Every structure is written in C-alpha cells, then in structure tokens.
Amino acid sequence: MRRAFFLLSCLGLGACAWEPGQGFAVLEPTVRAAYEPLADRTTPDGYQQLSSNYQVLVDGASLRLSGIELIAIAGGSGGGFNPANPPPGYSLCHGGHCHRDDGALIPYEQVAAEAGGGGGSSTVATLPVTGPLNLLAPERLAVECLPDCALPQTTVSQDRWGIESLQLEGTVRDARVPARFPGERRFRWVLSRTSTSEAPAAVLDGSMDLPSDRSTPPQAKLDLNLVLTARLFDAVDWSTLTEGSDGVVEISDEENREVHAALKERLATVSPEAEVTRGER
C-alpha cells in the first residue's frame, strides 16, 4: 500500500527525485587527464617559456592511475576540512598531508578530525581508471564506481588521485644570452611507485561540493579533470643536471635526485578540478 501511494504521488507530481532503494546520489563519473600548453608561454615554434628563461617542449607524456577516491569529510564542505583551504596552524595541504607551522607533516585524517571535532574522513567510492593515459591526446573516459555509483547519504568534498606512474619527456633549451648550455637537450622524468610498496608514487587532491541527500536531484554527472602544464618545470635549473651516456638527461637518476624530489613535491601541489551537474528532480 505504501509503495502504491508513492507511485500515485509520483504520477500526480509528474516526477520524483528518487525511488525506494535508490542511492541518495547516483553518479555518472568521467575522467580526463592532459598535459596542455599555456597560451601566454607559447613560443613561435611551440616551446613553453619557463620562469627561469629555459624553454621546454614536451613530446611524450603518459600517466597511470591506481584509482581516484571520492572522500567525504566530517562537517562536509560547509565547516570541515578542505585541503584547498588549510585550517589555522597549517600552511599547505597536498599529497595526503598538511604542513603544520612547526614543520611537522600531519595526515589529512588527523587534520580533518581536529577541524571537524573528531569526525575524520571516509572513502565513499573509488573510480578505477585502466591503462596508461596519453596526456598529449587526452580523452574523456566514462568510468565505473566501486563498490557502487549509488552513494549513501553524505557530502563528497574531495577527490584523491593516486598516481601509479608518470612519464614526461621532451627537449629543453636556454633562451638566455649567453646560454647556460648550448643547443638543446633531451630529458626524461619517470615517477613510479616502488616495487616494495603498495602506496601510490604521488597523491593529488582536488575539492568539490557534491551533496548526496534527499534535498538535491539524485542524478549527478561528475566530470573530473587533471591538467599538467609547463609550470611544473619552472624551478628546475637545467644546467645543473647530469646527462647520461646517450645524451639524455634522466631526471630520475640518482645523480639528479634533488631535482627529482623537487619535481615530485611540485607535482603534489597540482589540484584536479571537478564539475558537478545535477539532473532534474
């Protein structure tokens, strides 16, 4: 009788926002990852100008993801922890931790618990992304949700991208006169997780506001975007890097470890973006 009343009410109103057994929000997620040139940095022959007056041309870029976690943080987007807006006492949040003013690195869960009165955070769904992604020929991919795209009642406020591996390669030259090194140099940067660890090689965090409740339409199209640019290389002094016997600068090699670490730290400050479009009630 109750279900019959519900169905008659739906017919009388013309439409219903949800049905018995349906999630509070039902996701339709897509993912896009790209390396893109910046218009204000592009030289006539396609290089990207860096703040250091070096110029780079990336001609190979691939990415593997271990997955994207959708995370609900206690207090939601209204009063809880948001990595893009560090709470008092913290200067920067990225890569799964925050830099406290005393220099300590504090995990997100602990910061969220402090900010939200002990509620912490939880993963409500994981988006698996298969295969290597060609960042120079990006595609928008429809992905599934684990365990389900029908979410419980909550507010998703963060997307956490686990990077399994990233490879960028290309050519660098010096625009200064006199140049710090002659001609052009090939370079390759490979970031990958270690064989002895299940942890991602890097973690990127984005913010969103995706309520999953009965006051918003249930259908939720979620478009996630990651864009890498030449800004990643701004702080590199390319003249200090050691070339290999084949003439290629392997940034991941031991002799270039300080630059490798600096690039990894800079990568962790990149924030993916999320666009949420709600369906009709």
Side-chain angles (χ1 to χ4, degrees):
M1 179 66 71
R2 183 177 179 182
R3 180 170 177 82
F5 175 76
F6 177 83
L7 292 174
L8 288 172
S9 299
C10 286
L11 292 174
L13 294 173
C16 284
W18 53 276
E19 297 178 0
Q22 183 180 19
F24 288 84
V26 181
L27 294 183
E28 298 175 8
T30 67
V31 174
R32 181 182 183 272
Y35 179 92
E36 295 182 351
L38 299 167
D40 60 348
R41 291 184 175 220
T42 304
T43 67
D45 57 352
Y47 277 72
Q48 290 278 285
Q49 181 75 32
L50 303 181
S51 61
S52 57
N53 277 336
Y54 291 107
Q55 297 175 347
V56 296
L57 176 63
V58 171
D59 52 29
S62 64
L63 172 71
R64 282 185 181 271
L65 296 172
S66 57
I68 303 173
E69 296 179 68
L70 303 182
I71 298 174
I73 298 176
S77 59
F81 166 63
N82 183 344
N85 185 25
Y90 297 89
S91 60
L92 176 66
C93 294
H94 64 95
H97 64 260
C98 292
H99 294 250
R100 199 164 62 190
D101 289 348
D102 63 1
L105 303 180
I106 308 301
Y108 279 174
E109 289 73 14
Q110 182 177 335
V111 179
E114 295 172 357
S121 62
S122 62
T123 299
V124 296
T126 300
L127 312 181
V129 183
T130 59
L133 305 178
N134 183 350
L135 302 186
L136 299 183
E139 299 179 83
R140 180 159 297 285
L141 304 174
V143 295
E144 61 178 341
C145 316
L146 300 177
D148 202 324
C149 285
L151 303 185
Q153 185 172 13
T154 187
T155 295
V156 179
S157 53
Q158 183 182 340
D159 51 298
R160 179 175 294 176
W161 298 51
I163 293 182
E164 185 173 306
S165 66
L166 171 66
Q167 179 169 318
L168 301 174
E169 58 184 306
T171 305
V172 61
R173 67 190 183 192
D174 191 4
R176 280 189 187 176
V177 178
R180 285 160 285 188
F181 62 80
E184 300 175 341
R185 290 182 177 177
R186 291 290 303 174
F187 71 87
R188 184 183 298 112
W189 182 45
V190 179
L191 175 66
S192 59
R193 68 182 183 185
T194 63
S195 58
T196 58
S197 174
E198 292 297 318
V203 176
L204 307 185
D205 292 296
S207 60
M208 70 174 76
D209 184 13
L210 199 167
S212 177
D213 54 35
R214 295 302 188 213
S215 64
T216 50
Q219 297 299 323
K221 181 172 172 53
L222 175 62
D223 294 326
L224 297 174
N225 299 281
L226 172 64
V227 177
L228 302 182
T229 71
R231 290 192 184 97
L232 185 67
F233 300 110
D234 272 341
V236 177
D237 183 355
W238 297 89
S239 66
T240 66
L241 295 176
T242 302
E243 289 182 311
S245 58
D246 58 357
V248 178
V249 175
E250 296 284 359
I251 300 177
S252 306
D253 282 357
E254 176 63 22
E255 55 265 35
N256 298 319
R257 62 185 179 277
E258 291 184 4
V259 172
H260 172 77
L263 281 175
K264 183 177 178 180
E265 186 76 9
R266 194 170 182 88
L267 173 67
T269 67
V270 175
S271 294
E273 296 184 351
E275 181 179 348
V276 179
T277 306
R278 304 305 294 240
E280 296 297 327
R281 289 182 180 275

